[in-house]
Amino acid sequence: MAALPAHKSAILSKLVESSPDRVVASLQMALADTVDDSALGCVRRLVEAEVADRAFRGAVLSPVVPMFVGLGDSARTLTFPSRALPMIWRGLKAVEGEAVARSLNASETPEKSHGLVDGYDQLVTAAARGIRAGETSDFRAAAAACDLGRPGGAAALASCLEIAAVVRRATGKLPSWIAHAGGETPAAARVAYNDAVEIAEDSGPRFFEMLAAQLSQPWMVLRIISAVMERPTERYMADTELAVFVLKVMEDIDLAVAAIDSLDAESGPGTGQAMARITEIAVGQIAEIETNFELTNKHGWGNRAHKQRLRLAAVVEGQLRDAEAAALEALPMHATRLHGVQRTLPYLEGPPDPLAVNRASTLLSFTEHLRTAANYGGFSTPRLKLIEKLKEFVANYVEDVLGLIRSGDAGDLTNAAAYLEVAADFSDRVAGEKAGELVRRRAQAALTPQSPIQAQN
């Protein structure tokens, strides 16, 4: 099939170029099986070219790429508008087209890759110069977008680009620095930090902001700060420009505790699991602060961290108590006289209350996924006690329902089956999937009538 007319191809190329990464990735997947001579063949080639260009852009500008988020107006971290990134790249290709082409060729040719990183560093330095000087309309537009996101945003971006070479080399060592904070890490991290400060005296905080952006858990940059400053005391740390990193993590902990305390039990098991993950992160953040700085529980950061740990444990224990109450409500019991004997048995007169079941499932999901955080968070014992109590309750509940089915006293078997499925789901969460599957098999056996021949076998 003939190629698209030039003007239509240009329009399509512009649309693809301006699309978010997730849209381009979706287009690439959708067009993967498109043949070259089909109606969509040219679209596929445009998308593939855009994907390759973005991958190369990501490699060249990797020290700053994670900082381009949303509108670039975050009050908690240093970010830049996501729409500014392609502007910078277009500006860079306009003023350094030959250098960009050489780096691309080197990245695709193994025998020429020895100077690849140096080429990348020269390009980010050129980008910093382009932002400051407004060399092209794209650089000027990127600078304006950054200034719109935050006062002085363009200058901050240029400053980040100027130390990008140092950050690029430090980023390669981050996994080792995070995993092994002792040994040679302090000296290596300190050298990198000093190199950044040598470029600009005020670049210390930006250096750590850029490293934090490279981490899946940004707050773990506290380990690098501690290594550079040789595990400082709170008194010393609080008087430096880096104190803000500790304070932001403490604010995050307060926000996490508030979120866990206000867990919406009606929002479903996914929320329970998400809140357990937030709990795990908060526990880790408290541990990082207590481990990486010399603190005292009597005042200042040490006292605040101590109170946060106690408050977090209290909030989690409150949710555990709510989980127990919700599970008992979802599997109701009642006192009744059966065959002349007064007993407390499952109440099967109506179907399970879906709202009660959902609340219990949400809170039990939270309980289930607290495994990792429980020991370090100080709430392992109440969690284990709750799990053991619910294991026993659910096991007895299942036995009672099965007994009622066998004796013909269960009433509507549809209700009995529904309650057994709820019990199986709860067993999944407190005793494991094998326990839940066993409940389901036993329920099926009790609810499925056997023929005389099956019974004899």
Side-chain angles (χ1 to χ4, degrees):
M1 184 174 179
L4 284 175
H7 71 284
K8 290 186 177 180
S9 180
I11 293 172
L12 185 57
S13 179
K14 192 69 175 178
L15 285 173
V16 172
E17 181 184 336
S18 61
S19 298
D21 288 346
R22 65 180 183 279
V23 174
V24 174
S26 297
L27 283 172
Q28 184 184 27
M29 291 180 61
L31 298 169
D33 297 328
T34 303
V35 296
D36 284 344
D37 59 353
S38 69
L40 292 176
C42 61
V43 180
R44 191 203 73 198
R45 290 190 293 274
L46 280 173
V47 170
E48 288 176 345
E50 180 65 22
V51 169
D53 187 63
R54 291 188 187 198
F56 180 52
R57 180 185 75 189
V60 173
L61 300 176
S62 61
V64 295
V65 166
M67 305 177 79
F68 288 87
V69 181
L71 298 176
D73 57 355
S74 172
R76 300 183 59 77
T77 57
L78 180 58
T79 59
F80 307 107
S82 57
R83 64 191 180 95
L85 183 59
M87 297 174 184
I88 294 167
W89 186 235
R90 287 195 299 270
L92 193 56
K93 288 194 289 185
V95 299
E96 296 288 342
E98 291 184 4
V100 170
R102 283 196 303 271
S103 289
L104 177 59
N105 184 43
S107 69
E108 296 174 341
T109 311
E111 59 268 23
K112 297 182 180 179
S113 63
H114 60 278
L116 188 60
V117 172
D118 289 340
Y120 289 175
D121 291 342
Q122 291 170 11
L123 289 174
V124 294
T125 300
R129 186 172 58 249
I131 290 290
R132 289 198 187 279
E135 291 181 297
T136 70
S137 59
D138 283 310
F139 279 135
R140 290 191 293 274
C146 292
D147 283 338
L148 185 63
R150 68 179 65 249
L157 174 58
S159 296
C160 287
L161 290 167
E162 286 165 350
I163 64 170
V166 176
V167 172
R168 189 191 306 278
R169 287 158 178 76
T171 298
K173 301 172 184 176
L174 273 180
S176 174
W177 289 357
I178 293 297
H180 310 287
E184 298 179 359
T185 293
R190 202 172 301 119
V191 168
Y193 173 77
N194 289 337
D195 287 344
V197 173
E198 188 173 336
I199 293 172
E201 290 185 1
D202 63 348
S203 64
R206 284 192 297 277
F207 173 74
F208 290 115
E209 287 274 11
M210 294 172 73
L211 290 185
Q214 301 287 337
L215 295 169
S216 59
Q217 299 171 322
W219 45 271
M220 294 193 76
V221 76
L222 293 182
R223 293 190 186 186
I224 313 302
I225 294 174
S226 176
V228 168
M229 301 185 72
E230 301 181 79
R231 197 171 182 268
T233 63
E234 175 193 336
R235 183 175 181 179
Y236 176 80
M237 181 71 179
D239 290 334
T240 72
E241 58 189 356
L242 301 179
V244 65
F245 288 91
V246 180
L247 294 174
K248 285 193 295 186
V249 174
M250 287 189 157
E251 290 170 6
D252 288 341
I253 296 167
D254 286 336
L255 291 172
V257 173
I260 298 162
D261 192 30
S262 60
L263 191 163
D264 181 5
E266 297 183 357
S267 57
T271 297
Q273 182 175 353
M275 285 299 167
R277 175 58 181 155
I278 288 174
T279 304
E280 182 181 348
I281 291 173
V283 169
Q285 289 173 325
I286 293 171
E288 288 296 318
I289 292 172
E290 293 176 336
T291 300
N292 290 303
F293 306 97
E294 290 188 21
L295 309 175
T296 172
N297 287 346
K298 294 181 179 180
H299 55 76
W301 293 349
N303 181 257
R304 183 176 175 183
H306 178 68
K307 289 181 178 179
Q308 286 178 323
R309 182 181 288 279
L310 294 178
R311 174 63 178 155
L312 176 61
V315 166
V316 170
E317 289 178 28
Q319 297 295 357
L320 295 177
R321 288 191 294 270
D322 289 347
E324 178 182 355
L328 298 181
E329 181 183 358
L331 297 175
M333 307 285 286
H334 72 139
T336 185
R337 182 174 294 276
L338 185 65
H339 305 306
V341 178
Q342 187 74 21
R343 294 184 59 187
T344 300
L345 292 170
Y347 182 76
L348 307 177
E349 294 300 317
D353 179 353
L355 294 178
V357 171
N358 187 52
R359 285 194 295 271
S361 295
T362 300
L363 292 168
L364 290 179
S365 176
F366 174 73
T367 304
E368 174 190 8
H369 290 94
L370 283 177
R371 284 188 301 269
T372 304
N375 286 332
Y376 299 102
F379 39 83
S380 177
T381 297
R383 177 181 177 273
L384 289 176
K385 285 182 177 179
L386 169 63
I387 286 176
E388 290 304 316
K389 185 173 183 179
L390 289 180
K391 278 183 184 178
E392 182 179 3
F393 169 75
V394 173
N396 290 336
Y397 182 90
V398 169
E399 292 298 336
D400 286 340
V401 174
L402 293 175
L404 291 171
I405 292 173
R406 295 190 192 100
S407 66
D409 298 309
D412 188 343
L413 292 184
T414 301
N415 292 339
Y419 277 109
L420 285 172
E421 179 55 35
V422 173
D425 180 66
F426 290 0
S427 291
D428 286 338
R429 300 192 183 282
V430 300
E433 292 183 0
K434 290 183 179 179
E437 187 56 34
L438 178 59
V439 172
R440 292 183 181 92
R441 290 202 303 270
R442 295 185 67 196
Q444 184 178 14
L447 292 164
T448 304
Q450 291 182 314
S451 69
I453 293 178
Q454 289 176 316
Q456 290 175 6
N457 293 338

